Amino acid sequence: MMGGRALLLLLLVSALLVQIRASDPLLYESFDEDFEGRWVVSKKDEYQGVWKRAKSDGHEDYGLLVSEKARKYAIIKELDEPVTLKDGTVVLQFEVRLQNGLECGGAYIKYIRPQESGWDAKEFDNETPYTIMFGPDKCGSTNKVHFILKHKSPKTGKYVEHHLKFPPSVPYDKLSHVYTAILKPDNEVRILIDGEEKKKANFLSADDFEPALIPPKTIPDPDDKKPEDWDERAKIPDPNAVKPDDWDEDAPMEIEDVEATKPEGWLDDEPEEIDDPEASKPEDWDDEEDGEWEAPKIDNPKCEEAPGCGEWKRPMKQNPAYKGKWHAPLIDNPNYKGIWKPQEIPNPEYFELDKPDFDPIAAIGIEIWTMQDGILFDNILIADDEKVATSILEKTWKPKYEVEKEKEKAEEAAAAADGLSEFQKKVFDILYKIADVPFLAPYKTKIIDVIEKGEKQPNITLGILVSVVVVFVTVLFRILFGGKKPAAPVKPAVEVKKPKATETDGAGSSGDKVENEDEKEETAAPRRRSRRET
């Protein structure tokens, strides 16, 4: 009886120890202590970026910091024991804060497979083989949370890089975020950001990974060649077709409308533009040095009410006799054989697979090339229990994120109270660009005045936007349908004298040239300078 109780007690203690062991992380790095001695910085020449242990902005929590811009970085931590990925659940999780954003660079982690005997961690670089690469990467059109698996083909023995299709995007802010990849024994992988599932995939599905882990059963025969007489044209010109006798290929597309008559009230003797009567020759204008002064042009006010000014010409209309170049009509090709494809043959590299043959994780490494500094890695975790990952996320990341989010909201509210919101700034930037459209030159000064008034009174932004768009559309409509030519660019009422040629050294010549061009642009359409140009 006593022996049975002792055995039961032993089983309970064993089960408890197993449960405690299962709840411990396989790896957890919080950077609460200095990383030197535990992490190894690559000694390869190309990795000049300096890693630092630093506090996250606004927190007392430490992380591993990318401290310089436009550098390559590489650092690695070898595990006490390799982590197997073949059997149960494995969770890969880490925290990243892009404190200065991420315009071009990576913030991912490489999970390194066991290396050959004699390998030195100081040699860690881009060529070091890994099992999984996971995390944010952004540059140009690339904006994704990578999940890449390197899998060894049991048929060829070669490693193939398999990319997750349609991965989630990187959050577009400067807050702390947690990236989690959960690998399940049923071949499922789930990608989470901040604890929220963003992607679910199956390792063995061709729809989820490119290329697929399981190769296709057949492939196009590389030795098969298209026969020389193979005709892929579905349609051909009718060889029996003849151009009609009345088909005139030289007839113009448009002809003068002989039935058109000059509108009543057309002002033949009035020019479309006249000299600005309010403009006057500058007092310091020198005809010999600056040339003959000409007043800037404005629209002739007499033409505003009239149908048109200047020489009247009959408008053009579509030529009913126009047919263009004659082509024989297309008919079905009697010799059409379809689009040629090489025949399929059995794929010599095909294999079947019940589950991926993952290599173990023997080390974790960060090997990146980034144009930003301020990237902070923290709370790197490998666990065999999702609850452990969730618990660490709740305790370490969530409180920081809530503080950062509140600070962000307060800053946005202060910016809105202080002046223009980010949206309003973008609207006014667009309006200034509209004001610079060439055919709006005669109205530019008035448009700028309206925009500047809107900047001082942000509550009327929408009304300002509508007003400028109405002016733009009205002028464009008048140009297209009003019978007038586009207004010529306004000539300066006051022109800056050209500087006399002087000798400059090579370092200053280009700067002088740009400055003079700016002066010309400034005098091309005289107006009051806005605060955005100062």
Side-chain angles (χ1 to χ4, degrees):
M1 187 70 175
M2 290 296 293
R5 290 180 179 178
L7 179 60
L8 179 59
L9 180 61
L10 180 61
L11 291 174
L12 289 173
V13 171
S14 299
L16 181 60
L17 290 174
V18 170
Q19 184 176 1
I20 293 173
R21 175 65 185 86
S23 63
D24 290 339
L26 304 177
L27 166 75
Y28 179 56
E29 176 59 81
S30 65
F31 299 101
D32 289 340
E33 298 178 358
D34 197 349
F35 65 87
E36 293 184 6
R38 297 182 296 109
W39 290 71
V40 178
V41 177
S42 175
K43 298 302 181 182
K44 290 291 187 72
D45 292 339
E46 63 263 38
Y47 298 103
Q48 299 295 319
V50 177
W51 294 99
K52 292 183 179 180
R53 176 175 173 264
K55 291 182 180 180
S56 180
D57 184 28
H59 306 292
E60 293 300 316
D61 187 41
Y62 284 90
L64 183 64
L65 179 69
V66 170
S67 64
E68 298 175 293
K69 298 180 179 180
R71 291 284 190 273
K72 288 185 176 182
Y73 291 81
I75 191 170
I76 189 170
K77 176 182 174 63
E78 295 183 280
L79 307 186
D80 295 334
E81 295 181 6
V83 174
T84 180
L85 303 175
K86 293 184 178 181
D87 300 322
T89 296
V90 175
V91 183
L92 310 176
Q93 180 170 287
F94 64 96
E95 181 182 318
V96 171
R97 186 177 185 188
L98 309 173
Q99 298 178 110
N100 297 324
L102 185 63
E103 295 179 7
C104 189
Y108 42 75
I109 288 180
K110 291 182 176 180
Y111 298 86
I112 310 300
R113 69 173 186 246
Q115 304 298 301
E116 296 180 356
S117 177
W119 181 80
D120 189 344
K122 295 178 181 178
E123 299 298 309
F124 175 53
D125 63 9
N126 184 52
E127 300 300 322
T128 302
Y130 62 84
T131 294
I132 290 172
M133 188 173 94
F134 172 53
D137 188 19
K138 184 179 178 184
C139 192
S141 60
T142 298
N143 184 346
K144 64 180 71 174
V145 178
H146 278 298
F147 186 92
I148 304 173
L149 167 67
K150 281 195 174 181
H151 186 263
K152 185 177 181 179
S153 166
K155 201 68 173 284
T156 66
K158 297 178 180 179
Y159 282 90
V160 179
E161 197 172 89
H162 304 276
H163 292 245
L164 178 67
K165 290 183 178 180
F166 313 114
S169 299
V170 181
Y172 193 79
D173 57 41
K174 300 178 182 179
L175 310 180
S176 299
H177 292 285
V178 176
Y179 298 89
T180 309
I182 303 174
L183 287 65
K184 306 289 288 184
D186 61 357
N187 298 326
E188 179 182 271
V189 57
R190 296 164 52 213
I191 307 298
L192 289 69
I193 300 178
D194 299 343
E196 181 181 347
E197 183 177 297
K198 298 295 183 179
K199 176 74 176 182
K200 181 187 289 185
N202 188 294
F203 282 114
L204 303 187
S205 172
D207 294 331
D208 292 334
F209 281 87
E210 176 63 35
L213 267 74
I214 301 177
K217 289 185 177 182
T218 62
I219 60 171
D221 184 355
D223 298 323
D224 195 10
K225 306 297 180 183
K226 182 171 69 172
E228 294 182 1
D229 62 347
W230 191 281
D231 196 338
E232 294 183 326
R233 299 174 299 164
K235 297 282 187 179
I236 60 171
D238 185 353
N240 299 319
V242 179
K243 183 175 70 173
D245 294 335
D246 61 347
W247 192 288
D248 185 1
E249 293 185 327
D250 298 324
M253 185 182 295
E254 290 184 334
I255 58 174
E256 190 178 79
D257 187 357
V258 295
E259 297 180 357
T261 58
K262 182 168 63 175
E264 185 177 352
W266 188 279
L267 305 178
D268 298 85
D269 299 328
E270 288 291 339
E272 293 183 3
E273 293 181 336
I274 61 172
D275 293 344
D276 185 352
E278 297 182 2
S280 59
K281 181 178 177 179
E283 295 181 0
D284 60 347
W285 189 273
D286 189 328
D287 289 335
E288 292 184 1
E289 184 176 342
D290 302 324
E292 183 180 355
W293 181 82
E294 295 181 2
K297 298 289 185 181
I298 62 170
D299 287 342
N300 188 343
K302 295 182 180 179
C303 301
E304 292 293 331
E305 303 298 331
C309 291
E311 180 185 0
W312 179 82
K313 295 181 180 179
R314 285 190 174 88
M316 303 296 286
K317 70 174 185 178
Q318 187 174 355
N319 183 3
Y322 172 75
K323 294 183 178 180
K325 188 172 180 60
W326 181 83
H327 297 280
L330 297 178
I331 61 172
D332 291 336
N333 182 2
N335 298 320
Y336 176 65
K337 295 183 178 181
I339 303 300
W340 183 85
K341 294 181 181 179
Q343 63 178 345
E344 294 284 318
I345 61 172
N347 184 359
E349 298 184 358
Y350 172 75
F351 58 84
E352 295 184 355
L353 198 66
D354 292 330
K355 59 172 53 182
D357 187 19
F358 294 104
D359 281 332
I361 298 174
I364 54 173
I366 304 174
E367 189 277 321
I368 56 176
W369 184 9
T370 179
M371 302 306 293
Q372 268 70 48
D373 57 356
I375 300 174
L376 193 75
F377 293 87
D378 199 3
N379 297 313
I380 302 174
L381 169 75
I382 301 178
D384 53 12
D385 188 344
E386 294 180 50
K387 293 180 180 178
V388 173
T390 301
S391 175
I392 290 179
L393 179 150
E394 292 286 338
K395 292 178 181 178
T396 62
W397 166 78
K398 194 171 183 179
K400 289 190 294 185
Y401 180 78
E402 290 175 349
V403 170
E404 294 164 13
K405 199 66 179 175
E406 287 301 318
K407 182 179 178 182
E408 183 183 59
K409 290 180 181 178
E411 290 174 350
E412 290 178 352
D418 184 51
L420 303 174
S421 68
E422 286 300 319
F423 170 75
Q424 288 171 320
K425 289 178 181 177
K426 291 179 181 179
V427 170
F428 285 115
D429 286 341
I430 293 172
L431 293 179
Y432 276 109
K433 291 179 181 178
I434 292 177
D436 286 329
V437 173
F439 66 74
L440 290 178
Y443 311 92
K444 189 169 185 176
T445 301
K446 293 182 179 180
I447 293 175
I448 293 296
D449 288 339
V450 172
I451 296 173
E452 291 180 342
K453 180 179 179 182
E455 287 184 308
K456 295 176 182 178
Q457 303 180 52
N459 59 314
I460 63 172
T461 300
L462 183 59
I464 298 297
L465 175 61
V466 172
S467 300
V468 175
V469 170
V470 167
V471 172
F472 181 89
V473 173
T474 301
V475 175
L476 183 62
F477 186 85
R478 181 183 299 171
I479 291 172
L480 295 176
F481 306 106
K484 293 187 177 184
K485 298 179 181 178
V490 176
K491 294 184 179 179
V494 179
E495 297 192 20
V496 178
K497 293 184 179 181
K498 300 178 182 178
K500 295 182 180 179
T502 58
E503 293 184 2
T504 59
D505 56 28
S509 60
S510 61
D512 294 341
K513 181 177 180 182
V514 171
E515 183 178 350
N516 293 336
E517 288 177 351
D518 290 343
E519 291 175 353
K520 293 178 183 178
E521 182 180 350
E522 179 63 27
T523 58
R527 62 173 175 81
R528 176 165 56 91
R529 289 177 64 85
S530 69
R531 69 171 180 81
R532 289 179 178 264
E533 298 176 356
T534 59

